[in-house]
Amino acid sequence: MADITRRLGRRHLRGAPTAHISHHRGGKLLHDGPGISFWFRALTAAISEIPVDDRELAMTFHARTADFQDVAVQATVTYRIGDPALAAARLDFSIDPDSGVWRGTPLEQLGTLLTETAQQHALAVLARTPLAEALVDGVTAVRERIAEGLGAEPRLPATGIEVVAVRVMALRPEPEVERALRTPAREQIQQEADRATYERRAVAVERERAIAENELASQIELARREEQLVEQRGTNTRREAEEHAAADAVRAQAEAARSVKLAEAEAARTVRLAEAEAARSVKLGEAEAARAVTLARAEAEGAREVGEARAAAQAAWLRVHGEVDVATLHALTGTRLAENLPRIDSVTVSPDVLTGLLAKLGSAEEA
């Protein structure tokens, strides 16, 4: 859409590089070309804007195949306006001088022309093609037929239209038919998957059987070796027992012989000790008897001498005491008594005792 601005009762148009502008005034062509700009008066100007860029026209339509099955066709046609002057003469591309908007719908007219033409040729080719073949090779056939039909259509060059490319994206049957067509393929795929699963399971079972056989063979070999090991251990144990028994017998014989020798030596030693003890006892008995006799004699002699000495001492003591006076005996008696009395730390003399003692001492002095 052209950019139109107002300035003091006049208009200024600035076109895009992809739009061809034609400006007529009074039936004369004043401005013509893409991406131009100019001033004009709205009351006297007749302006057309023809797009010259490539445009995509998407179309979707239904067709019927040779076996009376409906299919949906999705296609896209790329076109452009190659002769803007011819297109402006055949279609209304005039714009409002105030807003720059097309007064008609030229692009919708071009879309209808291209769609109906493409649909006509697509229906013609699909009407002679079965559904299965159309689904397999129909996209290429329909694309080629639409391209040929648009290229041979006389109205397009007369309108200045050039077809750049034709693309057919899909040919789809009805959902029920599509599911029915997918069923055999799905069944076949499922069968292939089942067969692959069975083969994989068979291979797994075979491998498991081989593994089980290997494990069984390994267990048999292990059991056989364990049996050999048990036999060898029994043989070794028996040999060890025999060797231990033989060693114990030799040890017992040696111990018995040693015990006999020790017993004989102990007996001989005991005999010698007994003989020596007997001889020693005899000697000790004789010496003890002689010592006892000597001691008895010495004791008897000592007792006799002690008795004689005591008798002499007693006689002398009696003789001495008989010769001294009575006062001396009293003194000796008091001395002897004092020696035998216990220790006295203090003596308390009462007046009565002191008086009695003094009276006795006085009477004694008088006497």
Side-chain angles (χ1 to χ4, degrees):
M1 184 178 67
D3 184 13
I4 297 177
T5 57
R6 297 181 181 184
R7 292 292 185 276
L8 300 176
R10 303 187 66 183
R11 308 287 190 275
H12 182 271
L13 182 146
R14 183 174 65 247
T18 58
H20 186 93
I21 305 298
S22 296
H23 177 210
H24 293 79
R25 186 178 63 187
K28 294 182 180 180
L29 183 62
L30 299 180
H31 300 92
D32 186 51
I36 62 175
S37 61
F38 54 88
W39 292 91
F40 67 94
R41 292 183 178 274
L43 296 177
T44 60
I47 303 174
S48 299
E49 183 182 12
I50 303 95
V52 294
D53 56 338
D54 291 349
R55 291 182 173 267
E56 302 287 341
L57 177 62
M59 58 186 71
T60 300
F61 53 88
H62 291 273
R64 180 169 293 182
T65 62
D67 48 2
F68 304 101
Q69 299 295 326
D70 290 337
V71 293
V73 181
Q74 295 179 359
T76 300
V77 176
T78 305
Y79 69 96
R80 67 170 173 262
I81 299 176
D83 191 346
L86 184 58
R90 299 296 299 272
L91 299 174
D92 185 10
F93 284 97
S94 62
I95 62 175
D96 187 348
D98 292 329
S99 61
V101 179
W102 280 316
R103 292 177 176 177
T105 56
L107 294 181
E108 292 182 2
Q109 295 177 6
L110 285 178
T112 301
L113 174 61
L114 291 172
T115 300
E116 291 179 351
T117 304
Q119 184 176 359
Q120 177 183 355
H121 294 287
L123 293 176
V125 69
L126 289 174
R128 297 190 300 270
T129 306
L131 178 61
E133 185 178 348
L135 294 178
V136 176
D137 300 325
V139 173
T140 303
V142 171
R143 184 181 67 250
E144 293 176 354
R145 183 60 181 272
I146 291 176
E148 292 176 1
L150 292 177
E153 178 64 33
R155 290 186 59 189
L156 297 179
T159 314
I161 305 301
E162 297 179 0
V163 177
V164 179
V166 177
R167 298 188 301 277
V168 178
M169 279 71 72
L171 287 175
R172 291 186 177 276
E174 294 181 349
E176 296 81 3
V177 177
E178 188 174 4
R179 285 193 296 268
L181 293 175
R182 289 177 179 178
T183 300
R186 288 182 177 178
E187 292 294 333
Q188 184 177 0
I189 294 173
Q190 187 63 38
Q191 291 176 3
E192 293 293 332
D194 293 341
R195 185 168 57 83
T197 301
Y198 295 150
E199 291 178 355
R200 184 171 61 254
R201 289 180 179 177
V203 172
V205 170
E206 183 66 23
R207 290 180 179 176
E208 290 179 359
R209 184 184 61 81
I211 293 172
E213 290 180 355
N214 292 333
E215 290 179 354
L216 182 60
S218 300
Q219 291 178 1
I220 293 173
E221 181 65 21
L222 181 61
R224 186 178 62 80
R225 292 187 178 181
E226 287 181 354
E227 182 180 0
Q228 293 178 355
L229 179 62
V230 170
E231 292 179 355
Q232 185 65 35
R233 285 179 177 175
T235 302
N236 294 338
T237 304
R238 186 169 56 255
R239 289 180 180 176
E240 290 179 359
E242 293 176 354
E243 291 178 358
H244 285 311
D248 292 340
V250 173
R251 191 180 299 109
Q253 293 177 358
E255 190 68 25
R258 181 171 173 275
S259 299
V260 171
K261 291 181 180 180
L262 289 175
E264 292 176 353
E266 188 66 23
R269 179 173 173 274
T270 302
V271 171
R272 288 195 300 271
L273 289 176
E275 292 176 353
E277 187 66 26
R280 181 171 174 274
S281 298
V282 171
K283 292 181 180 179
L284 287 176
E286 294 176 353
E288 187 66 26
R291 179 172 174 274
V293 172
T294 303
L295 287 176
R297 290 177 180 175
E299 289 179 356
E301 185 66 27
R304 185 180 60 80
E305 291 179 356
V306 170
E308 292 177 354
R310 286 181 177 178
Q314 188 69 22
W317 184 79
L318 292 174
R319 187 174 55 255
V320 170
H321 283 78
E323 294 178 356
V324 296
D325 56 0
V326 177
T328 301
L329 290 176
H330 286 170
L332 289 174
T333 301
T335 302
R336 184 65 57 87
L337 179 60
E339 290 178 356
N340 293 324
L341 287 176
R343 181 181 178 182
I344 299 172
D345 293 331
S346 61
V347 178
T348 302
V349 181
S350 64
D352 297 335
V353 176
L354 183 59
T355 303
L357 289 176
L358 291 174
K360 288 180 180 182
L361 288 176
S363 60
E365 289 178 357
E366 291 176 356

